[in-house]
Amino acid sequence: MKKSILAYYLTISIFSILILPSCNNDENHHRSKIDTISDDTINPIEVSTSNSSNVFSPYVKVFVENSGSMFGYVRDYNDFSKVVSSIIFDNDFIKEDVHEVYYFINGDGKIPNREFKDGQNFIESITERGIKSGNFRTSDLNGMLKTMLSGANGDTITILISDGIYDLGSDNLTKLKSKGEATKYSFMERLKKNNNIQTMVIKLVSPFNGNYCYATKKSSVYIPNHLRPYYIWIFGKGELLKKYFPDEKITKWSGYRNSARFQAIQESELPFVISGEGKRGEFRKHGTNVLYKCKTHHNVFAFSIIVDYGTLPYSDDYLSDINNYSCDNNFDITSITKANDISTVSAGVSHYQRPFIITVQTNRKPLGSVNIKLNNNIPAWIMTTNADDEKNIDTEHTFGFATLMEGVVNAYSAMSATYPASFSVIFKK
C-alpha cells in the first residue's frame, strides 16, 4: 500500500513538472503576437476535394488547438472528449461517406503541426501527452481563424476547437482592440472573395483539470476539476452548415451553452401574415399587410405578425430576443415566440419553414404604417461571456472574447444590410 501511495505522488509530481513549462510562467514562454496575416503567408494543409465514392459529399477538416492552455481539458474523459467524438463520428458523416481529416494546431496558426487521417487515432491522441506537439507554448488565435477561413473552400468545412482566449502575453490591455481589428480585417478580406462563407461559433463548458495560463502575464494558476468554457468555430458554405450542423444537433452536445451563426446577408422580403394573436383593440385584415377599421381598447392597440425566418441563419435565441428588433410610429415589440402548428394552420401558413410570432403594441390610435425591423447586433450571450480582466477565472467567462467576436460580427455586418429583414404593416380607415 505504501509503495502504491508513493508511486501515486511520484506520478503527480512528474506530471506537474511536465505541465508547468507549457504555460506562461516560463521565462521564455510567451504567446505570439496576434497580427494581421496576409493571404500569401497562409499555407494550410491542403486536402483534395475529389471524392470518387460521393462527389457531392464535403470534406471536413477538424482542428484542435493544442497549446498549453488546452491541457486542462484533456486530462480526463469528459464533456470535451464527448463533443469531439460526436463531431468525428457524426452519423450524417458516416451515412454519407463524408471524408474527414484531423489536425493539431498551435503557434502562429499558419500551418497545422500534426495530421491524422484516422478518427479513432485522433481521439486517442487527444491526451495531455498526445497533444504536446509543435509549438505548444504559443497560440495565435487570429492566425488560426485566418487558416480556417482560407481552408473553407468549395465543399470543404473547417472546424476549430479552442479555449477562445485572446492571448496578449505581456502586452498592455489597451492593445486588445487592435487585435480585434486584425480579426475583422481577416474576415472582410475573405468575405470579399466569397460572401457565402458562414461562420458558426458555439460555446460549451467542460470539466477542466490543469493550469490556466494567463493571457496578460507570464504565469499560471492550477484549477482542479472546475468547469471552464471552450468554443467551436465552424466555417463553410451556408447550405452545408445548415445541413450538417443544424441547431437541433449542436444543442444536444454535452455542455452546450450558446451558439450564433454569421453570414453576409442582404435585406430580403421575407413572407409574413397578420395574426390575431395578442390582439388588443379591434381591426380587420386586408391581404397580408393591411389593417383597417382599427380601434384601441383602453388606449391600447396590439396585433401580431407571423414571419418565416427559414432563409436566415440566425439562431432561435437571436430571433427571439426583443433587443434585436426596432419599430417606429410609437409601437413597441412586446413578445417574440416560435409559432406552433395551431397558430400557423389558423393563419393559413402551415407551409412556413421557420415561423415566429412577433407582437407589437402602441398606446395611440394606429395611423399610417409601422415598420418592424430585425437588426444586425452582436448576440447578447457573447457580451455576457466576455471578461476584460483575469481576476476571476470561472465557468462562464473568457478573457477578451467580445473583442475577438466583435471583429467577426463587424466584418459580417460591413458586408451585410443594416436590417436583414423588415416587415411593414399599413393602417387604413
Side-chain angles (χ1 to χ4, degrees), residues 63 99 116 267 389 429:
F63 298 77
H99 184 80
F116 302 81
E267 185 172 354
D389 58 53
K429 294 182 179 180

Side-chain angles (χ1 to χ4, degrees), residues 323-337:
N323 296 313
N324 294 326
Y325 293 80
S326 59
C327 53
D328 56 12
N329 201 10
N330 298 303
F331 274 85
D332 294 309
I333 296 174
T334 58
S335 69
I336 305 173
T337 58

